[in-house]
Amino acid sequence: MEQKHPLPPFTLEMAKQKIQMAEDAWNSQDPEKVSKAYTIDSEWRNRDTFINGREEIVLFLQKKWEKELYYKLKKEYWAHTENRIAVRFEYEYQTKDGNWFRAYGNENWEFDENGLMAKRYASINDLAIKEEDRKFK
């Protein structure tokens, strides 16, 4: 049986560990690695895009990181329950035409009994920034 520790029910320490693991994986910009944290049939809403399953997650992330260059993400604990975690985040990226953006948002995560994320709902807003205003370098 595939598992991703820590497993629910989450303590505060365990929730923060899951968040750091997610941040590290996303900052690797490795779609296959990121997808392994999710159930085979994971459900996502990312902005206005609905994604189902690991294969779609990998394809989505490949396209994302082809467009979002120099991607750097920071996640922050917001709240948790037994098998759910809420985070706020911000990340920065540059487009191919040289423009910089900072994206802000919130994510709600739901995990199965094996510690894999079964649901991920992300609300995200982008703000154009100047290169000299970057936080994450």
Side-chain angles (χ1 to χ4, degrees), residues 1 16 18 21 27 40-41 43 45 51-52 66 68 75 94 103 111 119 126 130 136:
M1 180 66 61
K16 288 183 175 181
K18 276 286 201 203
M21 291 167 65
N27 279 326
I40 295 292
D41 59 350
E43 297 175 20
R45 182 186 53 76
I51 301 155
N52 292 288
E66 287 174 5
E68 296 180 0
K75 292 184 182 283
Q94 185 182 41
F111 295 85
K119 296 181 182 180
D126 293 302
K130 296 177 184 172
F136 312 127

Side-chain angles (χ1 to χ4, degrees), residues 51-115:
I51 301 155
N52 292 288
R54 283 188 185 163
E55 289 183 24
E56 288 185 20
I57 290 169
V58 170
L59 291 173
F60 172 82
L61 293 175
Q62 287 171 339
K63 290 177 187 175
K64 172 185 178 64
W65 289 319
E66 287 174 5
K67 294 183 290 188
E68 296 180 0
L69 311 175
Y70 308 107
Y71 177 93
K72 181 69 175 169
L73 166 73
K74 182 66 183 151
K75 292 184 182 283
E76 178 181 297
Y77 172 85
W78 192 256
H80 80 281
T81 61
E82 292 181 4
N83 73 326
R84 293 181 174 168
I85 299 174
V87 299
R88 69 162 297 281
F89 64 87
E90 56 186 326
Y91 65 87
E92 294 175 347
Y93 64 92
Q94 185 182 41
T95 59
K96 289 182 180 181
D97 60 5
N99 295 314
W100 282 95
F101 290 87
R102 184 173 304 122
Y104 297 95
N106 300 296
E107 290 179 332
N108 297 309
W109 302 340
E110 183 176 280
F111 295 85
D112 72 4
E113 65 279 0
N114 293 306

